[in-house]
Amino acid sequence: MSLNKRCALNQTQPTSDWLQRLSITRRSLNGPVLRHRRLGVELGKVQVYQEANRETRVQIQESVRGKDVFVIQTVSKDVNTTIMEMLILVYACRTSCAKSITGVLPYFPYSKQCKMRKRGSIVSKLIASMMCKAGLTHLITMDLHQKEIQGFFNIPVDNLRASPFLLQYIQEEIPDYRNAVIVAKSPASAKRAQSFAERLRLGIAVIHGEAQDAESDQVDGRHSPPTVKTTGAIHPSMEIPCKHIAVVVNFVASRCLFQMTQFVLSLILCMLLAVLIPKEKPPITVVGDVGGRIAIIVDDIIDDVDSFVAAAETLKERGAYKIFIMATHGILSCDAPRFIEESAIDEVVVTNTIPHELQKLQCPKIKTVDISMILSEAIRRIHNGESMSYLFRNIGVDD
């Protein structure tokens, strides 16, 4: 039985109360509206607005006592306001004696800040704690930036995948996809690219080299000594230890007169010098053959498109004649549409986890894949107490 038919069978027996901001319903017609229409239920009546002093106020205009409440929240450009509105709405449902409160966040905000950066903080952990404290009992999201974010919650988290929808798009909308190669724009994305390549039975290529990945751990503060701009010489503060080491090596070598001992000590000296001299990144390289083929770059988030544009230019230089970008979350901040339009990228395919209608008007290369079907089915299964494993069939471990 198809997914649409299963949803249709339950349209005559909805018992849940569905809450969502009316403003988001109007702005994201391809997302939340389709989800509640597929389930055959009406959106709950709730009023969310900001007062003159910019404080957020929430008023639930119908009873939610003893009901399963699903709060659908689409992240807007004003991320902080979006988070605050959801927290207040969840807390209002909790104080109104709702039976359960499930948050549906297709895109989890602050998901990129899930690692410690120098003297920063792990903001994803903070957001998770706030949601749990507000009263959330379950979370439905899609393609977390790092799967480990699920461990920040002390409630069940269902991390759905958009890869089946993106794979279907490749097979149906790219006529010559058999002549394609799946590309990872950095080694960090290689596992996701491998998962796509295995299910499509295509080759894989990885871009490696000078372009520094934004998620690199080099900014973590754990690399010692810190890198310096001058690559040909040792930092002045390091000169004295090196001279002392050289004196020790010469002294021991002259006293021992054993060639083997001298060789070992010289090797130790070279190792110490290798640590002190900052490492140079290798020149940019494409590992894999992309000549005369379609290049499909896969990633989970596309926000700042500089790295994608640079990757597309590199692939063009290596002979790729078409370049597609497939991503789950299309944030597309600032001038991203203009950069995409002026670049060598032929098409950018993202899902509707985040509203991007304005960006599509600015750049016709941006295409949308609807994932409301899987979210509505997840809501139905959670409400009816059914297994969620069906939604994870044919999903790779590295997805």
Side-chain angles (χ1 to χ4, degrees):
M1 189 180 296
S2 66
L3 191 59
N4 288 334
K5 291 181 180 179
R6 280 197 305 276
C7 290
L9 291 176
N10 291 273
Q11 288 182 1
T12 58
Q13 49 183 357
T15 58
S16 296
D17 189 272
W18 317 93
L19 289 179
Q20 186 184 20
R21 290 194 304 146
L22 298 179
S23 57
I24 286 187
T25 302
R26 298 190 188 101
R27 283 184 294 180
S28 184
L29 296 177
N30 292 330
V33 172
L34 287 182
R35 284 193 283 275
H36 84 81
R37 285 178 182 172
R38 289 182 185 277
L39 291 164
V41 296
E42 295 296 329
L43 291 176
K45 297 178 181 179
V46 58
Q47 187 178 10
V48 181
Y49 60 93
Q50 287 187 342
E51 296 182 342
N53 60 356
R54 304 289 294 173
E55 289 184 359
T56 300
R57 185 175 292 273
V58 172
Q59 291 182 351
I60 302 175
Q61 299 176 331
E62 60 182 271
S63 175
V64 297
R65 183 180 294 272
K67 296 182 180 180
D68 294 328
V69 178
F70 290 81
V71 180
I72 304 175
Q73 182 68 300
T74 305
V75 177
S76 64
K77 293 300 180 183
D78 191 354
V79 180
N80 297 328
T81 300
T82 299
I83 295 173
M84 202 63 201
E85 288 176 355
M86 181 177 182
L87 293 175
I88 296 175
L89 181 54
V90 169
Y91 188 67
C93 294
R94 176 185 175 184
T95 55
S96 298
C97 301
K99 179 182 177 182
S100 65
I101 308 171
T102 303
V104 184
L105 278 82
Y107 170 68
F108 186 75
Y110 286 95
S111 59
K112 282 190 174 183
Q113 299 188 43
C114 58
K115 295 180 180 180
M116 179 64 71
R117 304 293 182 188
K118 293 187 178 179
R119 296 180 181 86
S121 61
I122 305 177
V123 184
S124 295
K125 170 64 175 175
L126 173 63
I127 300 298
S129 300
M130 291 168 64
M131 290 182 177
C132 295
K133 190 68 175 178
L136 213 60
T137 59
H138 201 131
L139 178 66
I140 302 174
T141 187
M142 178 165 284
D143 279 341
L144 288 170
H145 187 58
Q146 296 289 340
K147 298 182 183 68
E148 293 77 11
I149 295 177
Q150 297 176 81
F152 296 159
F153 292 85
N154 54 14
I155 58 174
V157 177
D158 287 310
N159 182 27
L160 304 177
R161 306 296 198 276
S163 58
F165 298 90
L166 298 177
L167 291 171
Q168 183 180 3
Y169 184 93
I170 293 174
Q171 294 172 332
E172 295 180 356
E173 302 297 332
I174 303 179
D176 196 20
Y177 82 93
R178 289 294 182 186
N179 188 36
V181 58
I182 306 299
V183 180
K185 69 179 180 68
S186 66
S189 306
K191 288 186 177 181
R192 180 182 295 270
Q194 181 182 0
S195 177
F196 273 66
E198 288 177 352
R199 281 182 283 177
L200 291 171
R201 297 185 179 181
L202 299 175
I204 184 175
V206 180
I207 298 177
H208 177 266
E210 293 177 352
Q212 179 64 49
D213 185 17
E215 296 299 314
S216 173
D217 288 335
Q218 285 195 352
V219 296
D220 201 358
R222 300 175 188 173
H223 292 259
S224 181
T227 57
V228 293
K229 295 183 179 179
T230 305
T231 58
I234 303 173
H235 193 276
S237 62
M238 302 299 177
E239 291 181 358
I240 296 178
C242 293
K243 292 179 180 179
H244 286 308
I245 294 173
V247 171
V248 172
V249 171
N250 292 332
F251 176 75
V252 175
S254 61
R255 290 291 302 272
C256 297
L257 300 178
F258 291 107
Q259 186 176 3
M260 194 64 183
T261 304
Q262 185 177 8
F263 172 76
V264 172
L265 292 175
S266 300
L267 181 62
I268 294 174
L269 176 60
C270 293
M271 293 174 63
L272 290 173
L273 292 176
V275 173
L276 296 175
I277 298 176
K279 297 180 180 178
E280 295 183 7
K281 297 203 70 176
I284 193 164
T285 307
V286 178
V287 182
D289 183 22
V290 297
R293 309 179 74 177
I294 300 173
I296 303 176
I297 305 174
V298 297
D299 212 334
D300 61 330
I301 300 174
I302 176 169
D303 186 4
D304 183 6
V305 298
D306 290 345
S307 59
F308 291 93
V309 171
E313 293 175 355
T314 301
L315 294 172
K316 278 288 186 181
E317 293 173 358
R318 299 302 193 278
Y321 71 92
K322 274 190 179 181
I323 299 173
F324 292 79
I325 295 178
M326 314 290 292
T328 302
H329 310 294
I331 301 177
L332 303 171
S333 301
C334 300
D335 294 329
R338 180 173 61 85
F339 292 148
I340 293 173
E341 185 66 25
E342 297 173 355
S343 70
I345 300 171
D346 292 282
E347 196 168 283
V348 175
V349 182
V350 294
T351 69
N352 56 347
T353 55
I354 298 175
H356 51 267
E357 298 302 323
L358 180 60
Q359 289 87 335
K360 289 180 67 175
L361 294 175
Q362 298 172 351
C363 178
K365 292 182 179 181
I366 301 174
K367 308 297 181 182
T368 305
V369 175
D370 180 30
I371 45 84
S372 62
M373 180 185 297
I374 191 172
L375 291 175
S376 59
E377 179 66 4
I379 293 173
R380 188 191 69 80
R381 286 175 174 269
I382 289 175
H383 172 62
N384 294 333
E386 299 177 16
S387 173
M388 296 285 287
S389 60
Y390 176 81
L391 303 181
F392 294 93
R393 72 193 190 287
N394 301 326
I395 297 296
V397 177
D398 297 321
D399 243 5

